[in-house]
Amino acid sequence: MNIVTDAENAQSGSTPHTPKTIRLEAPGLGAASTWRNMGPGIAAAMTGIGASHIMHAPTAGAQYGYALLWVIPFAYILKYCAFEFSHRYTLVKGESVMEAYHRIGQGRGNWPLWYLMFQGVANTFGIAGRTLGCAAMIWAAFPFLSLELWSVVILLVTVGILWLGKYAAVEAVVKLLIIVFAVSCFIAFVLQAPPPGEYLSRLLPTLPPIGAALLFGAMWGYFPTTLEVAPMQSNWAVDKKSGMVKVHDLRRQGYEVELAPNYLRNYFILFKRDMNISYIISGLTGAIFLIVGAAVLHPIGLVPASREMGLTIARIYTDTFGAWIFPVIISGGVAALFSTVFTYYDGQARLIEESAVRLRASLDTPERRKLIYRGFQVFLTAAGIGIVYGLPNPIFVVQIASFVALLFSPVLFWLSIQSVKRNFKTPEELEFMPSKLMFAWAWVGTIGLALISAYVIWIEWL
């Protein structure tokens, strides 16, 4: 970034009040630049490599073999545009997609913001389910506390880390454990997977097996992750200050900003890499979790359930590598599930905060924002403890939460479409408008998720 001021140009004759001019160069497109600019996509992927991969995938494989394998790639394909559009909006417009939600709701009771707040309250079940899953993994190794007490410890530790601002201190360890866990999963797949023909033939859509409707709906809700992560991802992109976010931030500080010709184009390429790399790795990992669960657990009729969930999932790896792998798998599983608890605690509270300050401008002060953010986390903790003691069954709670997430997803998808469609207006913005093919793809995703929701309700409850 080059800063050029008139005061520095000795003969310019400018006044002291002339704004500084900043020229922003285009980021490079090499490997180092790609790595530096990765972030929101990885954060979104980390919310997925948790309950969906560790709980839903092995359960589906153990209970139904490869019958539900096709759901994973199709869920990733169907939901792609919801995440892509929200991040695209922030990169091009330089603001959170929550601003677009606010505009869509103006004159209509601000219903998108109220919808997000209601969804945030409903997502208490999701956070409680992830917490129970994380506690079940810890309990498998350290049963001296009950599953419920471990869950309370996790909730309190999460709040403590967030309020103290200490997540950076543990983030590197958490990411390392997740990587080790994922690598163990890939190795187990190589060692245990059946011939490719046995599972590749199950990638064509079929109706779910009898009794699998709730799990079927849950997988659509949580793979690759829930759709409220789309606005969360947008908020993380704002924090990353890439693309036009950085430009608007400098202009608010009083600078005049000049952009290199390929500035936004290169950021757009890097954003797509961030998302696509993270998306592909997350999708492959989810499919492998299911295949390994089907190969190891299905033949012996062992299905993850209740507080024994952690022990059952660890069985996949101890049967493959031996007992020595147990602490590695438990540590990785705890890290993966804890990262989702932490990410949702932060991301969901941010959505509530951003919705509240748009609904009432008087709340938009640093002190009141902090009160809303922390206040909602106190609510999540209290409600989570109630759910943990009322329904101490990790698999069931996560399946219910996942299906609820599926029910919310069509409207959230529609908001992502409208945010881009209605707000890209200048020639520079229209250059980054999604193609007609992508819009068609997005509408297929929206309608598809609505139809799947209706189908599961009809099969399971009507």
Side-chain angles (χ1 to χ4, degrees):
M1 182 172 69
N2 299 322
I3 300 179
V4 181
T5 68
D6 289 329
E8 291 169 342
N9 294 327
Q11 306 302 322
S12 65
S14 65
T15 67
H17 301 291
T18 301
K20 295 179 181 178
T21 299
I22 292 180
R23 177 178 171 84
L24 296 180
E25 299 295 340
L29 298 177
S33 186
T34 298
W35 177 253
R36 282 196 302 271
N37 283 276
M38 291 187 77
I42 291 176
M46 286 178 67
T47 69
I49 302 178
S52 57
H53 291 55
I54 297 174
M55 299 171 76
H56 288 337
T59 300
Q63 199 161 3
Y64 302 107
Y66 306 113
L68 295 175
L69 178 61
W70 70 270
V71 172
I72 296 176
F74 275 83
Y76 274 77
I77 293 169
L78 218 58
K79 290 183 175 181
Y80 179 86
C81 291
F83 303 110
E84 204 271 2
F85 283 16
S86 291
H87 195 161
R88 179 192 293 251
Y89 177 91
T90 298
L91 187 77
V92 175
K93 294 290 292 186
E95 62 187 17
S96 170
V97 76
M98 299 285 291
E99 295 291 345
Y101 292 1
H102 189 199
R103 294 188 197 102
I104 291 170
Q106 284 179 337
R108 301 176 178 85
N110 285 315
W111 69 266
L113 301 179
W114 287 110
Y115 188 84
L116 273 180
M117 295 185 78
F118 177 69
Q119 174 274 326
V121 173
N123 199 35
T124 304
F125 270 91
I127 292 174
R130 293 176 178 91
T131 303
L132 278 165
C134 187
M137 298 296 286
I138 297 176
W139 182 83
F142 305 105
F144 57 82
L145 290 182
S146 68
L147 176 72
E148 293 83 356
L149 279 176
W150 274 124
S151 299
V152 173
V153 169
I154 292 165
L155 290 171
L156 294 177
V157 167
T158 301
V159 172
I161 291 173
L162 277 167
W163 289 14
L164 293 172
K166 298 297 184 181
Y167 186 63
V170 299
E171 185 178 24
V173 175
V174 168
K175 286 182 177 179
L176 177 62
L177 290 172
I178 293 173
I179 291 170
V180 171
F181 186 44
V183 169
S184 299
C185 174
F186 274 85
I187 295 173
F189 168 73
V190 171
L191 296 177
Q192 291 281 6
E198 289 191 23
Y199 55 86
L200 291 179
S201 62
R202 307 309 297 267
L203 292 177
L204 294 177
T206 59
L207 293 176
I210 295 174
L214 182 59
L215 178 57
F216 176 74
M219 291 176 69
W220 285 103
Y222 265 26
F223 278 106
T225 186
T226 56
L227 281 198
E228 69 266 18
V229 172
M232 289 185 199
Q233 191 176 9
S234 174
N235 289 333
W236 294 326
V238 170
D239 290 343
K240 189 79 173 176
K241 294 189 184 302
S242 59
M244 293 303 294
V245 178
K246 184 187 295 184
V247 175
H248 292 335
D249 187 54
L250 290 170
R251 285 173 177 165
R252 280 192 294 270
Q253 296 176 44
Y255 294 102
E256 291 183 356
V257 181
E258 295 178 0
L259 299 181
N262 290 329
Y263 174 81
L264 192 54
R265 172 61 59 186
N266 284 14
Y267 265 115
F268 185 79
I269 293 170
L270 292 171
F271 135 66
K272 294 286 283 188
R273 286 181 186 173
D274 176 28
M275 178 169 179
N276 292 342
I277 291 170
S278 304
Y279 213 71
I280 291 169
I281 292 173
S282 174
L284 288 174
T285 306
I288 286 172
F289 268 100
L290 189 149
I291 292 169
V292 174
V296 177
L297 300 180
H298 186 63
I300 60 177
L302 190 59
V303 178
S306 194
R307 65 188 66 235
E308 304 292 334
M309 181 206 87
L311 290 170
T312 304
I313 291 173
R315 176 78 176 268
I316 296 173
Y317 303 93
T318 55
D319 281 7
T320 305
F321 299 102
W324 68 269
I325 199 72
F326 182 80
V328 175
I329 295 307
I330 293 298
S331 300
V334 169
L337 286 164
F338 175 74
S339 74
T340 67
V341 174
F342 182 92
T343 303
Y344 271 89
Y345 245 84
D346 174 65
Q348 198 69 71
R350 287 186 188 221
L351 291 186
I352 296 295
E353 173 194 332
E354 295 297 333
S355 297
V357 299
R358 287 168 175 80
L359 287 168
R360 182 167 293 182
S362 61
L363 297 175
D364 196 5
T365 66
E367 296 79 12
R368 290 175 179 174
R369 276 179 169 269
K370 185 176 182 179
L371 183 62
I372 296 166
Y373 177 82
R374 291 190 170 184
F376 187 71
Q377 289 171 345
V378 170
F379 164 77
L380 286 177
T381 304
I385 291 172
I387 294 169
V388 160
Y389 278 94
L391 286 170
N393 185 331
I395 299 295
F396 178 71
V397 172
V398 169
Q399 286 186 7
I400 292 295
S402 303
F403 179 66
V404 171
L406 173 62
L407 296 180
F408 278 105
S409 60
V411 173
L412 293 172
F413 210 141
W414 183 86
L415 287 170
S416 289
I417 295 171
Q418 297 304 317
S419 296
V420 171
K421 187 176 181 180
R422 298 185 185 190
N423 290 282
F424 284 16
K425 297 177 180 178
T426 68
E428 294 78 11
E429 292 168 354
L430 290 172
E431 181 183 350
F432 294 94
M433 180 72 80
S435 66
K436 291 182 179 179
L437 179 61
M438 283 203 75
F439 273 120
W441 181 0
W443 279 112
V444 168
T446 305
I447 296 168
L449 292 173
L451 292 175
I452 292 166
S453 301
Y455 172 78
V456 174
I457 292 172
W458 178 59
I459 292 294
E460 188 73 12
W461 290 286
L462 299 181

